[in-house]
Amino acid sequence: LILLMVPPLLLAVSVVREKETGAIYNLRCSTLTRAEFMVGKLLPSVAVSAANAVLLWAVVVFYFGVPFKGSPWLLALGSALYLLGTSALGLLVSLLVRSQQAAIIIATITASIVAIQLSGLFAPVESMTGVNQWLARVLPASHYREIVIGSFLKRSGFEVLWADFASIAGFAAVVLLLCHALLRKRTAS
């Protein structure tokens, strides 16, 4: 839940704040490309969220005593892909709205619905019907949940979790391409 709510919220608020203050116009006057701008915005959000992921792992292992049986590299790769996808979701929200309040509301509601209702946390994805099951399979939360469970409890390897990795990577790629298309470098005259 934390790893789904923090990255999009951080990114959405930061970019929308630049829109509100007019600092985004510096982008339009600079030599930065859209991709460079996106990387510059994504990296800090992913870095802060990665620190959160390590802290959460430490709390689970050392405070709650949950044994970690899997590969730390596999969990790190899954977490990095997941954080990239959720941060990209925040960037997408920021490109679609004009105020910080709207960005906070949309990012929080979207993230909490996805994290609580569509991740398989309370009800298995297989028991969902129609659009809910389709959304649960498209959005990265249910796949990341499988990676975490596979890493912590089942000692699953990449050969078992490859489809979940592919789904998260595909989601991140599609959202990043959509962000790239929506980010306007120059105003239309």
Side-chain angles (χ1 to χ4, degrees):
L1 182 63
I2 291 171
L3 292 181
L4 184 60
M5 294 192 70
V6 172
L9 197 56
L10 279 175
L11 203 56
V13 170
S14 73
V15 175
V16 171
R17 183 162 189 251
E18 288 183 8
K19 282 183 181 179
E20 287 181 344
T21 62
I24 197 79
Y25 292 112
N26 292 335
L27 166 70
R28 295 187 175 128
C29 299
S30 74
T31 59
L32 278 176
T33 65
R34 292 183 289 177
E36 291 169 339
F37 176 78
M38 288 172 48
V39 168
K41 287 298 178 185
L42 286 169
L43 281 180
S45 174
V46 170
V48 168
S49 300
N52 281 342
V54 170
L55 183 64
L56 289 169
W57 177 86
V59 167
V60 168
V61 171
F62 297 116
Y63 183 75
F64 290 112
V66 176
F68 183 74
K69 297 179 178 181
S71 166
W73 300 112
L74 197 65
L75 182 61
L77 176 63
S79 297
L81 283 173
Y82 180 70
L83 294 175
L84 180 64
T86 57
S87 294
L89 189 61
L91 183 60
L92 181 63
V93 168
S94 73
L95 294 172
L96 296 174
V97 299
R98 292 187 175 171
S99 72
Q100 287 185 56
Q101 293 84 5
I104 291 169
I105 290 169
I106 292 171
T108 303
I109 289 174
T110 303
S112 60
I113 287 173
V114 169
I116 294 169
Q117 298 296 326
L118 301 174
S119 68
L121 187 62
F122 295 116
V125 173
E126 295 78 23
S127 69
M128 296 177 190
T129 58
V131 175
N132 286 340
Q133 188 176 43
W134 180 82
L135 280 172
R137 295 196 188 283
V138 168
L139 298 171
S142 63
H143 300 289
Y144 183 64
R145 184 180 158 275
E146 291 300 320
I147 291 171
V148 170
I149 289 172
S151 294
F152 263 92
L153 304 175
K154 298 179 183 178
R155 198 176 292 177
S156 299
F158 189 76
E159 64 279 355
V160 174
L161 299 171
W162 70 270
D164 294 307
F165 278 92
S167 295
I168 295 172
F171 174 83
V174 167
V175 175
L176 286 171
L177 287 172
L178 189 57
C179 290
H180 189 269
L182 290 174
L183 182 63
R184 299 283 179 238
K185 178 82 168 91
R186 306 264 183 228
T187 54
S189 12

